[in-house]
Amino acid sequence: MARSISEIQSFQPVARTLMGPGPSDIYPAVLQALSRPTVGHLDPLFIAMMDEVKQLLQYAFQTDNPFTLAISAPGSAGMEACFVNLVEPGEKVIVCRNGVFGDRMRENVERCGATAVMVDDAWGAPVSPEKVEAALKAHPDASTLAFVHAETSTGACSDAQTLARLAREHGCLTIVDAVTSLGGVPLKVDEWQLDAVYSGSQKCLSCVPGLSPVTFSPRAVAKMQSRTHKVQSWFLDQSLVLGYWSGEGKRSYHHTAPVNSLYALHESLLRLYQEGLEHAWQRHQDMHQHLKAGLDELGITFVVDQPYRLPQLNAVTIPDGVDDAAVRQHLLTTYNLEIGAGLGDLAGKAWRIGLMGYGARHENVALCLKALENALR
Amino acid sequence: MARSISEIQSFQPVARTLMGPGPSDIYPAVLQALSRPTVGHLDPLFIAMMDEVKQLLQYAFQTDNPFTLAISAPGSAGMEACFVNLVEPGEKVIVCRNGVFGDRMRENVERCGATAVMVDDAWGAPVSPEKVEAALKAHPDASTLAFVHAETSTGACSDAQTLARLAREHGCLTIVDAVTSLGGVPLKVDEWQLDAVYSGSQKCLSCVPGLSPVTFSPRAVAKMQSRTHKVQSWFLDQSLVLGYWSGEGKRSYHHTAPVNSLYALHESLLRLYQEGLEHAWQRHQDMHQHLKAGLDELGITFVVDQPYRLPQLNAVTIPDGVDDAAVRQHLLTTYNLEIGAGLGDLAGKAWRIGLMGYGARHENVALCLKALENALR
């Protein structure tokens, strides 16, 4: 029962250890950056910081794309930004579905007035390049291939490089969900020639939730520029947003940027740059191995086969006879430790243990293993 | 010229006094709340806080609408949320345009596949109820009347109560832009029977930018429920968002909420509640009078006629022979004081001086007047 409005007080959250599918543990320096004094969204100081955010995002994405920025809303809006800008009504899009987010892509395609051709793989399996190639051959009129690089709902990593090559061979652009991959596993936008890629601030970047980094290749930009229909979303129309994020001279007002959240993103990207991508990828892998060793001892097995496992998102099968909700509740109330529930097909069957960004540390692995051991006793 | 990526350091903004059109000065307690430890977006502690945000928003909007929440993106997305959920393709919407944001409403209507019937008034004038009534009579097939309560681009306040009454008399729903009015001037959603109202966090609430409070009347909800087309935006589809913000039992995942920004909104709304709406309205009016008295002495006049002036957004005419950009630059570099440039038709002709929320204080008025006096000398 909600309390009376007159009883409401300032919110004082408990400090949790966040080992779910995100938000992940935030770098302390990122929380400090977040609360620095707000400046105007057209202040020259802020514009200069945005330029740095773009440079740091280009590093994180491994791209020289000039059209690289952060959408002022969560990853779901980043997904929608890619679809509404690249897909026109009447087009056909091949959508790979091996978890929740492939299905969300289908929703986006259909709401653009386009047709989604679904390529289904099992939850926990990667996207099958063979099935994708067959679909591309069967649908030579498709304009776009859309797939999830790192499926947050299952912990499976798909071969983005191969999928993008197949798309190019069949004249398709690619829309790639890198929400959970960015910063956690190799993601090389230019080398792999990905066209439209979106991510989220609250996963392996260890920034607060609410922003969606995106990058568009020159091929994607050309497609946007040759559109015959207006983008159905004014807020997400990237041709308008770019007037604020770019330009040698004057920046034009589009919407009021989330100033403080961008301070936080700047700081988290700077941390990633200073650590170095290769080091960050290795750290995620190392912590995953430590977690796996401990889970093996507890007899807990993975949903995803070894070659396709994301180190940063460990979906594990809930042992027989164990009360899913009771265990998560115990971890939360006794240890202030959050792990993720299963989503969609995996609801009640799996837990999702995140080792993302700042959360990929020995102390988090040790806490999680010991707390799970006690909870399952 | 951007510096090399290896030279980038943590961003340390200068403390500015924000007297533009928003973001406004942030309450120090709001910045503190912002940087509290992040918890999960489905954490019971967070869900309870969201319920409090809803209660506090209902107070701020003066409504009992159960469908009251904060969109996880800026006010422009709040605007779009109202249009894409309430307007279906083929409908006719009467849009009042007396500044930038009425024209943005037109963009939204057209991108929904609907027809906008424009009712134009001069920049700086309020929306004319007579013209609106004539348009409603001339277009009996219109479904919706859309107007801006407080035009941020001009500082004019329109008579939302009368406009909403006219709309009802002609069987139209209302979509109302209250971005700059909420917390600054009377806004009574239930008493005035407004149907869909959106605002922004960064104006008279003195919260950080990035969130858009919205409220929908039962009439608006009924319209949403009787839609024959899917909402074109997945991210802004309120029937899906409500599954996360509401429900007696389980909350369903839609997108990852901007957790820390919502801490900040909670704190800013609590401040407004504790001050009391009537007191906040009076404080904005009092500070406006102080500012006006000082501007009179400087010979600076208002764009908007007295009865329609917003106390929180003072659009003033740049005196003849004064270099717009040079003065604003001087205020920013010498006094760390931001005032707003003119927008659209008023670019180069007006300044916009905000007295919003925490910014509506004697010290801000005094700083602004003395700095302007020196700059114009």
Side-chain angles (χ1 to χ4, degrees):
Chain A
M1 197 52 210
R3 55 183 149 181
S4 142
I5 190 168
S6 63
E7 293 173 277
I8 295 176
Q9 298 178 350
S10 293
F11 182 59
Q12 299 284 355
V14 171
R16 306 286 205 200
T17 299
L18 299 179
M19 298 183 71
S24 60
D25 271 1
I26 315 290
Y27 290 109
V30 166
L31 288 177
Q32 287 163 20
L34 186 62
S35 64
R36 296 209 172 105
T38 307
V39 299
H41 60 107
L42 292 169
D43 192 308
L45 294 176
F46 185 67
I47 299 291
M49 192 211 73
M50 289 171 72
D51 285 340
E52 294 183 353
V53 168
K54 180 190 284 193
Q55 282 179 278
L56 291 163
L57 279 177
Q58 287 171 327
Y59 171 75
F61 276 126
Q62 293 285 284
T63 185
D64 292 326
N65 288 339
F67 205 141
T68 301
L69 50 79
I71 302 282
S72 303
S76 303
M79 177 190 287
E80 191 160 318
C82 290
F83 282 94
V84 298
N85 283 278
L86 285 190
V87 177
E88 293 207 72
E91 287 188 4
K92 190 182 275 188
V93 180
I94 297 175
V95 177
C96 307
R97 175 170 55 186
N98 61 337
V100 163
F101 296 94
D103 199 58
R104 187 171 296 184
M105 285 177 151
R106 178 190 57 75
E107 281 277 0
N108 271 274
V109 169
E110 291 174 0
R111 290 174 195 236
C112 289
T115 303
V117 174
M118 302 308 294
V119 174
D120 277 303
D121 280 291
W123 282 55
V127 173
S128 156
E130 292 73 28
K131 288 186 192 173
V132 167
E133 187 163 27
L136 286 162
K137 283 181 178 160
H139 298 279
D141 54 337
S143 66
T144 310
L145 173 70
F147 63 87
V148 178
H149 182 211
E151 239 306 341
T152 319
S153 63
T154 70
C157 190
S158 292
D159 181 351
Q161 183 172 21
T162 296
L163 296 173
R165 180 178 53 73
L166 291 170
R168 276 197 312 284
E169 287 171 4
H170 290 82
C172 281
L173 292 177
T174 43
I175 295 179
V176 183
D177 181 320
V179 169
T180 289
S181 56
L182 183 68
V185 289
L187 170 68
K188 300 178 176 182
V189 169
D190 283 2
E191 186 181 324
W192 300 350
Q193 299 185 55
L194 312 178
D195 292 309
V197 186
Y198 59 90
S199 189
S201 49
Q202 81 284 11
K203 309 282 186 180
C204 295
L205 299 182
S206 279
C207 179
V208 288
L211 295 174
S212 177
V214 293
T215 186
F216 296 96
S217 74
R219 287 207 317 161
V221 173
K223 173 80 184 279
M224 287 186 213
Q225 288 171 339
S226 67
R227 287 182 67 94
T228 56
H229 300 77
K230 262 193 184 178
V231 173
Q232 67 198 47
S233 167
W234 186 90
F235 175 60
L236 296 174
D237 185 333
Q238 295 302 293
S239 66
L240 304 178
V241 171
L242 197 62
Y244 175 54
W245 269 86
S246 197
E248 287 304 306
K250 208 168 137 55
R251 305 299 175 102
S252 58
Y253 163 66
H254 177 258
H255 64 273
T256 303
V259 171
N260 291 67
S261 295
L262 284 163
Y263 295 172
L265 182 63
H266 180 276
E267 184 67 30
S268 68
L269 290 167
L270 184 57
R271 301 256 140 193
L272 180 62
Y273 172 75
Q274 288 174 343
E275 177 176 10
L277 273 173
E278 289 76 9
H279 189 278
W281 296 335
Q282 188 60 51
R283 177 168 54 80
H284 282 91
Q285 191 57 244
D286 291 346
M287 291 306 120
H288 164 72
Q289 293 302 335
H290 286 297
L291 180 73
K292 182 187 174 300
L295 292 172
D296 284 350
E297 285 179 27
L298 295 175
I300 295 177
T301 58
F302 281 76
V303 169
V304 176
D305 287 344
Q306 192 275 324
Y308 313 111
R309 270 176 214 156
L310 288 167
Q312 67 270 46
L313 199 285
N314 299 270
V316 299
T317 303
I318 300 173
D320 280 345
V322 167
D323 183 334
D324 170 23
V327 167
R328 286 186 291 108
Q329 176 69 10
H330 179 71
L331 297 182
L332 195 66
T333 54
T334 307
Y335 301 96
N336 282 305
L337 170 64
E338 178 180 273
I339 66 169
L343 201 59
D345 286 7
L346 295 178
K349 299 177 190 162
W351 291 316
R352 291 178 296 157
I353 302 174
L355 291 170
M356 296 180 177
Y358 179 64
R361 284 175 298 149
H362 283 289
E363 48 267 56
N364 281 21
V365 173
L367 167 64
C368 181
L369 287 172
K370 194 66 189 174
L372 260 183
E373 179 188 330
N374 291 343
L376 294 174
R377 204 167 258 166
Chain B
M1 198 53 212
R3 55 181 149 183
S4 141
I5 190 168
S6 62
E7 295 174 278
I8 295 176
Q9 298 178 350
S10 293
F11 182 60
Q12 299 285 354
V14 171
R16 306 285 205 199
T17 299
L18 299 178
M19 299 183 70
S24 60
D25 271 2
I26 315 290
Y27 289 109
V30 167
L31 288 177
Q32 287 163 21
L34 187 62
S35 64
R36 295 209 172 106
T38 307
V39 299
H41 60 107
L42 292 168
D43 191 309
L45 294 177
F46 185 67
I47 299 292
M49 193 212 71
M50 289 170 71
D51 286 339
E52 294 182 352
V53 168
K54 180 190 285 194
Q55 282 179 279
L56 291 163
L57 279 177
Q58 286 171 326
Y59 170 74
F61 277 126
Q62 293 284 283
T63 184
D64 292 325
N65 288 340
F67 205 141
T68 301
L69 51 79
I71 302 281
S72 302
S76 303
M79 177 191 286
E80 191 160 317
C82 290
F83 282 94
V84 297
N85 282 279
L86 285 189
V87 177
E88 293 207 70
E91 287 188 3
K92 189 182 277 188
V93 179
I94 297 175
V95 176
C96 307
R97 174 169 57 185
N98 61 336
V100 164
F101 296 95
D103 199 58
R104 187 171 297 184
M105 286 176 150
R106 177 190 58 74
E107 280 279 359
N108 271 273
V109 169
E110 291 174 0
R111 290 173 196 235
C112 288
T115 303
V117 174
M118 303 307 293
V119 174
D120 278 302
D121 280 291
W123 283 53
V127 173
S128 154
E130 293 72 28
K131 289 186 191 173
V132 167
E133 187 163 26
L136 286 162
K137 283 181 178 162
H139 300 278
D141 54 337
S143 67
T144 310
L145 174 71
F147 64 88
V148 178
H149 182 210
E151 240 306 340
T152 319
S153 62
T154 69
C157 189
S158 291
D159 181 351
Q161 183 171 22
T162 297
L163 296 173
R165 179 178 54 72
L166 291 170
R168 276 197 312 285
E169 287 171 6
H170 291 82
C172 283
L173 292 177
T174 43
I175 295 179
V176 183
D177 180 322
V179 169
T180 290
S181 56
L182 183 68
V185 289
L187 170 68
K188 301 179 176 180
V189 169
D190 283 3
E191 187 182 323
W192 299 350
Q193 299 185 54
L194 312 178
D195 292 309
V197 185
Y198 59 91
S199 189
S201 49
Q202 81 284 11
K203 308 281 186 181
C204 296
L205 299 182
S206 280
C207 179
V208 288
L211 296 174
S212 177
V214 292
T215 186
F216 296 96
S217 74
R219 287 209 316 163
V221 173
K223 173 82 184 277
M224 287 187 214
Q225 288 171 340
S226 68
R227 286 182 68 94
T228 56
H229 300 76
K230 261 193 184 179
V231 173
Q232 68 198 51
S233 167
W234 186 90
F235 175 60
L236 296 174
D237 186 334
Q238 296 301 293
S239 66
L240 305 177
V241 172
L242 198 63
Y244 174 56
W245 271 85
S246 197
E248 286 306 305
K250 208 168 138 55
R251 305 298 174 102
S252 59
Y253 163 64
H254 177 258
H255 65 272
T256 303
V259 172
N260 291 68
S261 295
L262 283 162
Y263 295 172
L265 183 63
H266 181 276
E267 184 67 30
S268 68
L269 290 167
L270 184 56
R271 300 256 139 191
L272 180 62
Y273 172 75
Q274 289 174 341
E275 176 176 12
L277 273 173
E278 288 77 9
H279 188 277
W281 298 333
Q282 188 60 50
R283 177 169 52 82
H284 283 89
Q285 191 57 244
D286 291 346
M287 292 306 119
H288 164 71
Q289 293 302 334
H290 287 296
L291 180 72
K292 182 187 175 300
L295 292 172
D296 283 350
E297 287 179 25
L298 295 174
I300 294 178
T301 58
F302 281 76
V303 170
V304 177
D305 287 344
Q306 192 275 323
Y308 313 112
R309 270 176 215 158
L310 289 166
Q312 67 269 45
L313 198 286
N314 298 270
V316 299
T317 303
I318 300 173
D320 280 344
V322 168
D323 183 335
D324 170 22
V327 167
R328 285 187 291 108
Q329 177 70 10
H330 180 70
L331 297 181
L332 194 65
T333 53
T334 307
Y335 301 96
N336 282 306
L337 169 64
E338 178 179 272
I339 66 169
L343 201 59
D345 287 6
L346 296 178
K349 299 178 191 163
W351 291 317
R352 292 178 296 157
I353 302 173
L355 291 169
M356 297 180 177
Y358 179 64
R361 285 174 297 149
H362 283 289
E363 48 268 56
N364 280 21
V365 173
L367 167 63
C368 181
L369 288 172
K370 195 65 188 176
L372 260 183
E373 180 188 329
N374 292 343
L376 294 175
R377 204 167 260 165

